[in-house]
């Protein structure tokens, strides 16, 4: 089992995955520091939102050397992996802004809507994005330092749990298939598959246990606020009440020229 929720003895080296020029760098390197300033009252939330807006606008300013051409934008939009991380960057930015008590810019909401529509995802941060899409070697977090490390490990613990759950399900399905086809003579193989299922479930429970017993509750309280339901898009979504405990229903909205258009559907969001 991977060692989590302990201060690393050395700085973890990132392998950059930055699909949106400047925006992705900002989300990874500067955004968590600015959010902390807002939380501690060192920066006005409106100023924080303006800084985020300026960062986004630079990509669409034809006079800027960071200008993103229509062709390059289309390439990002059409590539599932690149689009997924780009959308994660945009959604993290929006969640940080709205949970600081201010409105995101019209450009940001429209970008999220367009990327979400292309990916066939709801226009708010989902469990799959923050846990499974989030690059494991260039992670996105709302916090930094020791709190950011805890937040990163929180997402990694869920990702590892998902991996073990998938392997357990696959092993169990194969054992059931052998039984249904009356291939009982292969009982040693069936027993091996059931044993593998038990091992994978044990690993899964171990990660859940780490979140409950080893993870700092104080750190969790700080970054959890950014995983709450979206207050601007009118979202009632599943949230982490505590590690490993969720509510399974969601309603969400896309924005249209900053006016909310109500939609409803299932999602595994926070």
């Amino acid at each position: 089992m991977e060692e989590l929720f302990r201060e690393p003895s050395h700085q973890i080296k990132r392998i950059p995955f930055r699909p949106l020029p400047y925006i992705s760098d900002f989300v990874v390197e500067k955004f968590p520091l600015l959010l902390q300033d807002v939380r501690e009252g060192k920066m006005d939330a409106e100023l924080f939102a303006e800084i985020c807006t300026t960062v986004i606008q630079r990509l669409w300013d034809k006079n800027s050397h960071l200008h993103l051409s229509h062709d390059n934008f289309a390439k990002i939009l059409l590539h599932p992996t690149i689009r997924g991380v780009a959308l994660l960057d945009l959604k993290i930015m929006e969640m940080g802004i709205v949970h600081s008590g201010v409105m995101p810019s019209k450009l940001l909401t429209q970008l999220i809507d367009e990327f979400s529509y292309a990916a066939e995802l709801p226009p708010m941060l989902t469990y799959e994005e923050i846990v499974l899409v989030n690059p494991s070697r260039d992670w996105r977090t709302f916090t930094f330092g020791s709190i950011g490390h805890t937040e990163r490990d929180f997402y990694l613990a869920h990702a590892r749990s998902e991996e073990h759950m998938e392997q357990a399900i696959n092993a169990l399905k194969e054992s059931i298939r052998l039984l249904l086809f009356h291939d009982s003579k292969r009982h040693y193989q069936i027993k091996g598959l059931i044993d593998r299922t038990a091992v994978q479930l044990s690993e899964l429970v171990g990660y859940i246990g780490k979140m409950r017993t080893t993870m700092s509750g104080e750190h969790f309280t700080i970054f959890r606020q950014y995983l709450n339901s979206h207050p601007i898009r009118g979202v009632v979504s599943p949230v982490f009440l505590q590690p490993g405990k969720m509510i399974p229903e969601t309603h969400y909205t896309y924005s249209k020229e900053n006016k909310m258009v109500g939609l409803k559907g299932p999602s595994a969001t926070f």
Side-chain angles (χ1 to χ4, degrees):
M1 182 179 295
E2 190 171 349
E3 192 66 44
L4 299 176
F5 305 115
R6 294 184 184 276
E7 286 292 331
S9 58
H10 60 279
Q11 186 173 7
I12 302 174
K13 186 178 180 180
R14 290 180 179 268
I15 300 178
F17 189 163
R18 314 285 171 88
L20 289 174
Y22 193 54
I23 291 178
S24 295
D25 290 338
F26 174 79
V27 169
V28 172
E29 299 169 6
K30 298 179 180 179
F31 189 73
L33 282 74
L34 295 176
L35 264 183
Q36 176 168 297
D37 284 346
V38 174
R39 287 196 307 273
E40 295 178 352
K42 297 177 182 178
M43 174 178 285
D44 181 74
E46 292 285 354
L47 175 59
F48 167 63
E50 289 176 12
I51 292 173
C52 293
T53 299
T54 300
V55 169
I56 298 170
Q57 287 175 336
R58 291 184 70 176
L59 279 192
W60 274 262
D61 182 358
K62 293 183 178 180
N63 296 319
S64 171
H65 70 283
L66 296 170
H67 173 65
L68 187 66
S69 69
H70 177 78
D71 288 344
N72 287 335
F73 178 76
K75 289 178 182 178
I76 293 173
L77 204 60
L78 292 173
H79 192 289
T81 302
I82 296 175
R83 179 184 64 214
V85 178
L87 179 56
L88 174 63
D89 288 334
L90 295 171
K91 288 183 176 182
I92 282 180
M93 189 180 291
E94 185 180 63
M95 290 295 275
I97 292 170
V98 297
H99 286 297
S100 296
V102 290
M103 285 286 292
S105 68
K106 178 179 177 180
L107 177 57
L108 178 55
T109 58
Q110 289 177 336
L111 283 171
I112 290 173
D113 288 346
E114 186 166 353
F115 272 89
S116 297
Y117 184 81
E120 297 183 345
L121 288 171
M124 69 281 191
L125 189 62
T126 66
Y127 174 90
E128 287 86 349
E129 289 169 308
I130 197 68
V131 170
L132 303 179
V133 175
N134 203 342
S136 61
R137 298 301 301 273
D138 196 25
W139 55 94
R140 272 61 168 167
T141 57
F142 293 97
T143 57
F144 72 101
S146 60
I147 303 173
H149 181 75
T150 299
E151 183 182 354
R152 167 187 173 270
D153 283 358
F154 178 68
Y155 302 147
L156 278 177
H158 278 84
R160 299 295 178 262
S161 297
E162 293 283 350
E163 292 168 3
H164 288 299
M165 176 62 78
E166 182 178 9
Q167 292 182 46
I169 291 172
N170 289 339
L172 191 58
K173 285 168 65 177
E174 179 62 15
S175 64
I176 292 172
R177 187 190 69 80
L178 291 176
L179 287 169
L180 288 176
F181 282 92
H182 308 290
D183 204 350
S184 57
K185 293 180 180 180
R186 300 172 70 178
H187 60 278
Y188 287 111
Q189 183 179 354
I190 294 171
K191 181 181 182 302
L193 288 166
I194 293 174
D195 289 343
R196 188 191 307 172
T197 300
V199 169
Q200 297 300 326
L201 290 177
S202 177
E203 290 289 316
L204 185 155
V205 171
Y207 278 111
I208 294 176
K210 277 184 174 290
M211 285 188 281
R212 290 183 177 276
T213 61
T214 309
M215 185 179 71
S216 167
E218 182 180 354
H219 289 180
F220 176 71
T221 300
I222 292 173
F223 65 77
R224 178 196 179 277
Q225 62 187 290
Y226 303 110
L227 304 174
N228 284 338
S229 299
H230 198 302
I232 304 300
R233 291 183 183 270
V235 175
V236 180
S237 65
V239 296
F240 276 113
L241 302 177
Q242 55 185 337
K245 192 170 183 179
M246 299 179 68
I247 301 175
E249 184 181 356
T250 183
H251 300 269
Y252 53 88
T253 62
Y254 289 94
S255 63
K256 185 176 182 182
E257 297 179 351
N258 266 6
K259 296 178 181 178
M260 299 303 157
V261 180
L263 298 173
K264 182 170 69 174
S267 172
T269 59
F270 283 111

